[in-house]
Amino acid sequence: MSCYISNLPHHILETIFSIVTISALKSCRDVCKSWKHILTNPSFALLHQHGCANNNLILCLGTKLTGSYFEGNIYRLEYGESSHFNRARTWALEPDFTAGFVNSCNGLVFMLYSSFERIKPYYRSFNASVNGSFHWIIDIDDDYDRTNIVYSFNFESEQFTTSLLPIPPVDIYGYCYQYADLGVLGDSLYCSYFSYLPWNDCINICVMKDHGVVESWAEMLVIEHRMPFWEPRDFKVIKFFENRNFLFLADYHLWLANSKNKIMRSEDQRISEGRKAAAAAQQTKSRGAQQWLIMSRTTMIDNNMHPPERCACKAVTLQQKGVQPELLMARKMRQITM
Amino acid sequence: MSSSTDSPTLTTETTQLSPQPDTETAKPTKKITLKSSDNQIFEVEESVAMEFATVKSFFEDSPSSTDIVPLPNVTAKPLSQVIEFCKEQIKFKANPDEAQKKKYNAEFLTEKSDKDLVDMIPVANYLEIKDLLDVLNQAVADRIENKSVEYVRNFFGIDNDFTAEEEAALRREHAWAYEGVDED
């Protein structure tokens, strides 16, 4: 008997497909023509994204940056009662690139490409995609005079704009010693400051309540990290969870801050010394996102992108004009995973 | 709906109506008769049958009906399993115990063969039993995790309608998808 699952209405099949992981979808896609048709339809890609649970997290950590290879490891954070990290798999990009992993957004992986060894500005927070715009901030790597400008690029209007970060916490002498990071929480942009002086060892998280309105920055939470850093090598909030716990990267380690003001360090995710640590997260379903990252095409971004126009333009060439990031994601899903 | 607080009366009457041996509680419950597509008759308590949205609406449309409810899209085996599942769910409804329910659902699923699971999905869909459908969908999703194309095809009993050339092209195109799957 030819089984009658093939006679099921599409919506049932789609429901099943929406909860299976991408690794299983890869197999499902090639099962038969009608399944291939369902699974390669862009509308399905959206469904899969929305069906994703929020509890698990995939991380991609760049661990090795050699002359010709960029290698990364993909980790899965099992987030729950006993949070722990699992290494999911290692991946490598094509040879001939000297590239640094910057971040990822909607299935795109952003790479920093450099042809010369020289001091580079840091580019962060490319994943801060709100209201159809990407946002990022730039740190100059040499002094305490950190910039407080947020650059953004709107995909629809193809306009660049700048805005300001909230006023950072300053120490008693009026200096600020912290790293800033941008991200998205709900529909809002947030900024996190990681202060690392012994008398000011907090992480401050501010949310921009009205998008684009500098005056609407409001402090959302402060957590004391009390970490023995004099100066962490890097800081990036990877992901917020619903209960305001959050995961962040600092000083080559992953940390999980929970609402009880406690911070947990990942045990074995120490990132090779001397390499710029970078991490990215996809908040899709557990096990699902790892394939996203593997399958994502890389956007090579030129080293000299200090004028923000260049870097964003590079990113945009990969996409088509006027495409909302969500649609873009759908297209990437089709092109890459299907 | 169910005969909730009626005093337990005449045991004989009810046992006579019901072929199931487990009706020691002996409440005069109304039975509903379902007929599968392969002409098997199932007598279920009304409360169980009302878990099937399709059956429920049948009686809402014709409340006085005493007919046998025909289920033309449903064969006996998956139907009996679905009935078994719904009976338990009713107990949990009366007496909520999430842990126990989870445990039961997990056991219910693990003891089913792949084919049983897959065959129950259309039944749950046709009868509109949302809870069961959710449970089944997840179980199926779990079972095809990290499996090869062949495995998934067999799992669902689907014929490969790609030509050899098309299949070869797929394999070339998605070479990486064929790596790292489980052996079986």
Side-chain angles (χ1 to χ4, degrees):
Chain A
M1 177 183 89
S2 161
C3 101
Y4 46 21
I5 189 143
S6 40
N7 300 329
L8 278 178
H10 272 194
H11 74 269
I12 296 288
L13 274 179
E14 288 194 350
T15 311
I16 297 175
F17 291 148
S18 75
I19 57 177
V20 308
T21 66
I22 289 185
S23 76
L25 282 184
K26 291 182 308 190
S27 296
C28 294
R29 174 197 51 207
D30 295 347
V31 161
C32 66
K33 285 179 179 167
S34 66
W35 284 28
K36 185 162 190 265
H37 179 77
I38 297 172
L39 289 173
T40 50
N41 189 323
S43 68
F44 174 73
L46 288 173
L47 183 74
H48 195 272
Q49 187 194 30
H50 293 143
C52 291
N54 204 21
N55 290 339
N56 290 284
L57 172 69
I58 306 301
L59 299 176
C60 166
L61 297 183
T63 56
K64 203 159 134 198
L65 184 58
T66 69
S68 55
Y69 283 95
F70 173 76
E71 284 179 14
N73 287 312
I74 291 171
Y75 294 95
R76 180 162 91 225
L77 172 68
E78 306 281 346
Y79 179 75
E81 284 165 16
S82 58
S83 304
H84 62 281
F85 298 90
N86 281 332
R87 185 153 85 177
R89 77 177 272 183
T90 303
W91 55 297
L93 298 176
E94 303 155 50
D96 306 330
F97 291 151
T98 303
F101 183 79
V102 178
N103 214 323
S104 82
C105 173
N106 289 351
L108 294 169
V109 176
F110 292 87
M111 310 293 299
L112 183 68
Y113 172 72
S114 77
S115 27
F116 304 100
E117 282 301 316
R118 58 193 177 100
I119 293 178
K120 298 179 284 285
Y122 286 178
Y123 299 88
R124 301 166 184 262
S125 308
F126 271 91
N127 59 343
S129 166
V130 178
N131 270 12
S133 301
F134 272 136
H135 302 74
W136 66 97
I137 50 181
I138 296 175
D139 285 348
I140 310 298
D141 198 14
D142 55 357
D143 60 8
Y144 300 120
D145 186 22
R146 310 234 186 256
T147 172
N148 62 344
I149 298 175
V150 181
Y151 297 92
S152 55
F153 177 82
N154 185 287
F155 282 96
E156 204 160 3
S157 64
E158 299 198 9
Q159 294 292 311
F160 291 95
T161 48
T162 56
S163 177
L164 292 176
L165 289 174
I167 297 162
V170 293
D171 75 2
I172 46 174
Y173 307 109
Y175 292 104
C176 42
Y177 292 87
Q178 66 265 120
Y179 284 96
D181 185 35
L182 279 185
V184 177
L185 200 56
D187 296 326
S188 306
L189 203 61
Y190 72 81
C191 167
S192 45
Y193 283 118
F194 185 98
S195 309
Y196 49 84
L197 291 184
W199 51 87
N200 179 15
D201 51 0
C202 289
I203 299 171
N204 300 57
I205 313 269
C206 302
V207 174
M208 192 183 228
K209 292 190 165 159
D210 302 315
H211 184 249
V213 182
V214 176
E215 293 73 26
S216 70
W217 282 111
E219 192 160 84
M220 186 186 82
L221 73 93
V222 181
I223 185 165
E224 292 179 12
H225 57 77
R226 296 183 189 281
M227 274 194 272
F229 307 146
W230 178 247
E231 182 174 6
R233 303 294 307 189
D234 200 355
F235 171 68
K236 186 192 294 291
V237 173
I238 310 277
K239 164 123 178 83
F240 267 96
F241 299 99
E242 276 170 8
N243 50 10
R244 291 192 167 190
N245 292 1
F246 63 96
L247 187 76
F248 63 97
L249 179 82
D251 205 34
Y252 302 124
H253 284 89
L254 285 169
W255 309 77
L256 183 68
N258 73 21
S259 44
K260 297 183 193 95
N261 218 356
K262 278 179 75 176
I263 290 188
M264 178 189 98
R265 196 183 82 171
S266 68
E267 282 310 314
D268 56 0
Q269 266 64 27
R270 188 159 170 78
I271 297 157
S272 324
E273 283 290 346
R275 307 296 180 195
K276 181 173 179 290
Q282 292 285 353
Q283 59 178 68
T284 70
K285 181 167 178 158
S286 74
R287 302 169 293 185
Q290 90 198 44
Q291 275 78 23
W292 275 31
L293 288 173
I294 297 164
M295 292 179 293
S296 299
R297 298 282 159 79
T298 54
T299 308
M300 302 305 294
I301 296 176
D302 195 275
N303 182 28
N304 300 312
M305 56 180 184
H306 200 260
E309 288 78 5
R310 287 202 62 180
C311 71
C313 285
K314 282 263 182 176
V316 170
T317 51
L318 196 108
Q319 304 138 14
Q320 287 181 359
K321 288 180 183 177
V323 178
Q324 293 290 335
E326 290 76 20
L327 295 177
L328 174 71
M329 179 257 146
R331 182 154 44 238
K332 297 307 287 181
M333 282 282 286
R334 185 171 62 156
Q335 183 181 334
I336 295 164
T337 73
M338 295 307 152
Chain B
M1 241 358 94
S2 72
S3 57
S4 54
T5 54
D6 287 4
S7 59
T9 50
L10 299 175
T11 337
T12 44
E13 261 185 41
T14 46
T15 41
Q16 168 197 352
L17 270 173
S18 143
Q20 272 87 22
D22 57 343
T23 46
E24 289 166 32
T25 45
K27 288 176 188 169
T29 49
K30 187 178 166 195
K31 297 280 175 177
I32 284 178
T33 312
L34 309 172
K35 191 169 101 181
S36 67
S37 63
D38 41 1
N39 291 325
Q40 290 214 33
I41 300 292
F42 289 84
E43 261 195 355
V44 295
E45 289 178 18
E46 187 183 23
S47 59
V48 174
M50 290 305 125
E51 290 289 291
F52 309 159
T54 310
V55 176
K56 193 174 174 188
S57 58
F58 177 90
F59 281 98
E60 276 165 4
D61 292 344
S62 49
S64 56
S65 171
T66 52
D67 296 345
I68 292 174
V69 185
L71 300 172
N73 296 331
V74 177
T75 53
K77 191 176 180 202
L79 180 59
S80 66
Q81 289 166 339
V82 167
I83 291 172
E84 176 197 337
F85 178 86
C86 287
K87 272 187 184 162
E88 288 299 318
Q89 300 306 305
I90 286 175
K91 289 185 198 159
F92 292 123
K93 248 183 203 172
N95 196 0
D97 181 346
E98 274 306 311
Q100 208 52 39
K101 183 171 163 183
K102 247 187 184 162
K103 187 160 164 266
Y104 172 80
N105 287 357
E107 277 171 13
F108 177 81
L109 294 169
T110 41
E111 69 191 19
K112 297 285 175 289
S113 71
D114 290 348
K115 185 166 184 313
D116 287 346
L117 275 191
V118 171
D119 287 350
M120 267 190 285
I121 290 180
V123 177
N125 178 48
Y126 175 71
L127 296 175
E128 296 178 45
I129 313 164
K130 194 176 173 308
D131 288 353
L132 177 60
L133 198 54
D134 288 347
V135 169
L136 289 173
N137 284 348
Q138 188 59 56
V140 165
D142 290 344
R143 287 200 188 183
I144 59 170
E145 168 65 16
N146 213 28
K147 300 295 187 195
S148 66
V149 176
E150 272 307 313
Y151 185 96
V152 175
R153 236 177 242 147
N154 290 335
F155 183 90
F156 288 106
I158 289 176
D159 296 330
N160 179 9
D161 57 359
F162 291 111
T163 64
E165 291 83 36
E166 285 171 334
E167 177 121 41
L170 287 174
R171 279 182 181 258
R172 269 197 309 279
E173 196 184 331
H174 308 127
W176 47 268
Y178 291 84
E179 294 163 7
V181 293
D182 292 351
E183 282 303 312
D184 47 12

